[in-house]
Amino acid sequence: MKRALILCLSLQGLSLLPSVGAAHAQTVVDGSDKNASPFVKSTLHMLSTRFAEDHPKFRKITTHSSGDKQVVCGEISLHGSKVPAAENFMPFGATQGEENPLVYEPHTIPAALDFREVNTWINRGADLEDLEEMGCVPEGSYRQYSDHLNTVLQHRKTN
C-alpha cells in the first residue's frame, strides 16, 4: 500500500497523473472536530483527498497520545447522503509521523471461502488489527474477526 502511494505521488510530481485539487472540504457531521489540532486537520484532509469522489463525511473524531505521538481516531462514511446512517460509517485512525491513515472497510465474511480468497480476508483483518493497536476500535475486535475467519476456514477443511 505504501509503495502504491509513493508511486502515485512520484508520478504526480512528474506531472504524469492529473493533480488533485488543493481544497477538499472535510464534512464532520457531529462537530467532533472543534479545536482540532493541525495533525487532525491534516488527517481529515488526507482522507478527503483519497476519497474525494465519494465526498466523505466524518464523525466521532477523538485524539489520544501513544508514547510521544498523537493518534487520531474516528469514523468515515463514503455514502452519498448528507447525513449517513450509523451503519455506513467505517473506523479510521492515524498515528502522527506515519504516512497514511488506515480505514477499516468491514465486509461480511461469507459462509465458505475459495482457497484463493483467504489472503484477501487475512489482509482485510490487518487494518482492523492495526486500528485496535492504535486504540481506535474496541479491544478484542481483531480477535473476534480472526476467530470468525478461522471458523469459516476450518469448516472448509471438513467439507
Side-chain angles (χ1 to χ4, degrees):
M1 179 99 156
K2 291 179 185 177
R3 287 181 280 224
L5 176 66
I6 291 170
L7 177 63
C8 287
L9 292 174
S10 298
L11 292 175
Q12 189 174 15
L14 294 172
S15 298
L16 297 175
L17 288 177
S19 61
V20 178
H24 292 283
Q26 292 97 30
T27 304
V28 180
V29 296
D30 65 355
S32 61
D33 64 333
K34 290 181 179 157
N35 303 319
S37 70
F39 169 63
V40 171
K41 290 177 184 177
S42 171
T43 300
L44 296 180
H45 178 73
M46 288 173 66
L47 288 168
S48 293
T49 301
R50 185 189 315 170
F51 299 110
E53 61 209 29
D54 297 311
H55 308 290
K57 314 281 187 304
F58 301 95
R59 71 176 193 174
K60 296 185 180 180
I61 299 168
T62 61
T63 59
H64 62 273
S65 295
S66 177
D68 59 344
K69 295 182 179 184
Q70 187 179 20
V71 175
V72 61
C73 301
E75 294 181 357
I76 182 173
S77 174
L78 305 178
H79 195 264
S81 65
K82 192 171 185 174
V83 181
E87 62 270 7
N88 294 320
F89 283 88
M90 305 172 288
F92 75 86
T95 302
Q96 196 169 19
E98 298 290 322
E99 288 184 29
N100 234 348
L102 294 174
V103 176
Y104 174 66
E105 299 180 45
H107 299 280
T108 303
I109 299 172
L113 287 174
D114 185 303
F115 180 74
R116 295 168 290 198
E117 297 175 345
V118 172
N119 282 338
T120 301
W121 288 97
I122 291 170
N123 291 338
R124 284 183 179 157
D127 286 342
L128 183 60
E129 182 179 28
D130 291 342
L131 287 172
E132 185 176 327
E133 288 175 7
M134 284 187 229
C136 294
V137 295
E139 193 170 321
S141 296
Y142 175 71
R143 180 69 177 183
Q144 183 180 6
Y145 175 88
S146 178
D147 287 349
H148 182 66
L149 182 59
N150 285 333
T151 300
V152 170
L153 295 175
Q154 287 176 359
H155 175 72
R156 185 187 179 289
K157 289 179 186 176
T158 60
N159 287 339

